Amino acid sequence: MAVLKHIPVKNGNYQAAIDYLIYKHDELSGKMALDPDGNPIPREEFLMDGINCEPLSYPLAARAVNEAYGKNRLPGDVKTHHYILSFDPRDAEVGLTMEEAHAMAVRFAREWFGGHVGVVFTHPEGHNGAGNVHAHIAFCSVRSQDEPVRGWMTHESEWRAGGKHHATNKCHEELKRAVMDMCRARNLHQVDLLSPAKEKVTEREYWAKRRLAIREAADAGGNMESSDKRGVENVVHGEAGARASGASKSRYQTQKQQIRSAVRTASERAVDFESFAGILKSEHGISASMSRGRITYGHPERDRNITGRALGIDYEWPVIEANIRHRIEHGRMPARQSLISEIDDAIRAQGAAYKNKVAASNVRKLSETIAFLQEAGFESRGELDAAVELSTKALSNADDALKSKEAEIRRMGQAIRASGRYLSNRDAWRAYREAPDRRGFYVVHKRELEECNKARKTLSELFPGGKAPSLKEMRETKARLERERDALYERWCDERHRHREISIAKRNVDAALGGRMDRVAGMRRERGGPELE
């Protein structure tokens, strides 16, 4: 299984990226590790290659590209894009070596980022010691040469030299799809990277949780380095966090964790959105608002709101609403599933003492899957496989319909903007046609006339063979399309949620029945559930 992460970097010190990849660093503080003499400690093992430059000359090459095109001069500009391609520890079982992983990462980088100067570094394992080979792909955000035009690109700056890398959602979808294809062609372990996460944890939140775990351990009696006491962002400690989680006052949580805990608590008592929002506000101080079918949460100690999509699929309103309906109809919240863990991987990452904890967790996860299968009425593995196939098609159809409607909205928005430009410059165009000295008039009013011509051309392309509607009609059409888009989005959320639940059930059943058919079948008979043949 390979996972692709993206980190935009605004630091203009390109040498810092090379130092991080060559020398050991404290993963929590980000500081370089030093020996007793104050010298940086090199990493024991790594492989490196360059993209359009020598690896160690990357800082000079990146600065030269910036100077040549006059880019990346402001502090807020993204100077470097850092992608991390992390492989599953189990891939070693099918013969994946560090050298092969590095070669795959280099090919991937040169295929997708071949117009940039950059570096590829491969390390044998991550900071948690799980044995996952991973590659770092870091490159200058400004393109040094043209790249092939790809399907999602709409602007010339997305492939021309001198333009910047656009890390859009469509771009990331194609990159993840390429990673999945690459790993499946090599028969490596791979999951669907395009499916949404149950809980979406960003890189920043992950490290905040790591720092909080150290703070909590220190409060319990241990010591904590001064570097770990600083820089803990988006964190609160107090009664609000304790109320949101149901934990003691000594429990540290990120603000996103507090919102997730509060949402789960409110879902167990609410009957509709109004009561759900009321519980969040009165008991946890968290606001909830809906706009175009999408929910947004506001934390009392945070300036900007957080969307449900940013927290994970379980915190979007269609899923919350379905859970509330299920609780009202059945008297309890629906069984929530998660994937069974590989015990061997857990031992490798956390030690042998962790084995029993993972085994107990797997029993609980399997019971959740059995409860889901009972509620859904599946009687055989064949029915489950067919349901997965149907759900995949339904999700694909919902996704296509949503994308088609969004394309219509973009088209109508483009027409509205073109119509506005045409109307604002129409008088100049009429005056030009009636002017005795058209050449002189054109010189004086060149910008207005060119804008009008460009707008007329755009409208003729959008409405070929007919007269363009009025601006009022366009706006009414766009409003109608947006309402239809909102309904399609709710349908897409429902299909995505169902697809995820069924897919997890299938993978857990496959994992449980692999070599243990009789034991799991016995568990199902004891619970009175259907046999999975």
Side-chain angles (χ1 to χ4, degrees), residues 363-395:
V363 171
R364 176 183 59 80
K365 293 174 182 177
L366 186 57
S367 68
E368 292 170 352
T369 295
I370 293 174
F372 170 80
L373 295 173
Q374 288 176 330
E375 291 177 2
F378 292 111
E379 298 292 338
S380 68
R381 294 184 71 179
E383 289 184 9
L384 182 59
D385 292 341
V388 171
E389 185 176 352
L390 289 175
S391 177
T392 302
K393 291 180 180 179
L395 178 60

Side-chain angles (χ1 to χ4, degrees), residues 107-364:
R107 287 196 301 271
F108 178 82
R110 289 177 177 166
E111 178 183 356
W112 292 94
F113 314 120
H116 300 260
V117 295
V119 292
V120 180
F121 277 71
T122 302
H123 297 149
E125 65 178 9
H127 60 272
N128 58 2
N132 58 311
V133 177
H134 63 282
H136 297 263
I137 303 171
F139 56 89
C140 177
S141 60
V142 180
R143 206 171 290 104
S144 63
Q145 58 191 48
D146 292 351
E147 287 186 345
V149 181
R150 304 188 187 276
W152 74 86
M153 296 180 176
T154 57
H155 299 89
E156 191 172 354
S157 60
E158 294 184 271
W159 67 82
R160 291 294 188 192
K164 299 189 71 173
H165 175 67
H166 293 180
T168 61
N169 290 338
K170 290 183 179 179
C171 172
H172 285 171
E173 285 180 9
E174 293 301 321
L175 292 176
K176 290 177 181 178
R177 189 172 285 110
V179 169
M180 292 165 58
D181 292 342
M182 176 178 66
C183 292
R184 286 168 178 163
R186 175 58 180 81
N187 294 322
L188 302 179
H189 297 87
Q190 185 59 50
V191 297
D192 186 1
L193 300 180
L194 301 178
S195 296
K198 180 181 176 181
E199 288 193 4
K200 186 176 181 180
V201 180
T202 63
E203 184 83 1
R204 187 177 184 181
E205 186 182 1
Y206 170 78
W207 287 110
K209 287 182 178 180
R210 290 285 302 273
R211 296 186 185 101
L212 288 174
I214 293 178
R215 285 186 76 176
E216 200 164 349
D219 285 352
N223 294 321
M224 182 171 57
E225 297 294 333
S226 59
S227 61
D228 295 327
K229 295 179 182 178
R230 299 188 300 267
V232 181
E233 302 178 23
N234 292 340
V235 194
V236 285
H237 172 219
E239 295 184 3
R243 286 198 305 270
S245 63
S248 64
K249 291 184 181 180
S250 63
R251 174 73 180 272
Y252 287 91
Q253 284 190 314
T254 65
Q255 291 177 353
K256 287 184 178 180
Q257 283 177 300
Q258 289 188 25
I259 294 175
R260 292 189 184 103
S261 299
V263 168
R264 287 193 293 268
T265 301
S267 300
E268 295 174 354
R269 294 161 50 200
V271 295
D272 53 21
F273 178 77
E274 287 71 21
S275 60
F276 172 77
I279 294 172
L280 285 179
K281 188 65 177 177
S282 61
E283 299 186 11
H284 308 281
I286 294 170
S287 63
S289 58
M290 292 283 291
S291 176
R292 298 178 178 178
R294 305 183 185 188
I295 192 166
T296 304
Y297 303 98
H299 192 279
E301 299 188 20
R302 182 184 175 99
D303 295 332
R304 298 181 62 183
N305 290 345
I306 303 174
T307 63
R309 176 179 294 184
L311 296 174
I313 184 176
D314 279 0
Y315 305 94
E316 297 189 59
W317 177 245
V319 176
I320 297 172
E321 186 179 33
N323 292 341
I324 292 174
R325 287 201 306 265
H326 186 281
R327 193 199 76 237
I328 294 173
E329 294 173 2
H330 299 87
R332 59 182 174 83
M333 296 294 284
R336 304 299 298 154
Q337 302 179 87
S338 54
L339 289 172
I340 291 176
S341 303
E342 291 288 340
I343 294 181
D344 292 341
D345 293 343
I347 295 173
R348 189 183 300 116
Q350 305 287 346
Y354 199 59
K355 177 179 178 180
N356 292 337
K357 182 177 180 181
V358 174
S361 175
N362 282 348
V363 171
R364 176 183 59 80

Side-chain angles (χ1 to χ4, degrees), residues 52-54 57-66 117 140:
N52 299 322
C53 67
E54 292 297 322
S57 66
Y58 163 66
L60 293 174
R63 284 193 288 268
V65 173
N66 289 336
V117 295
C140 177

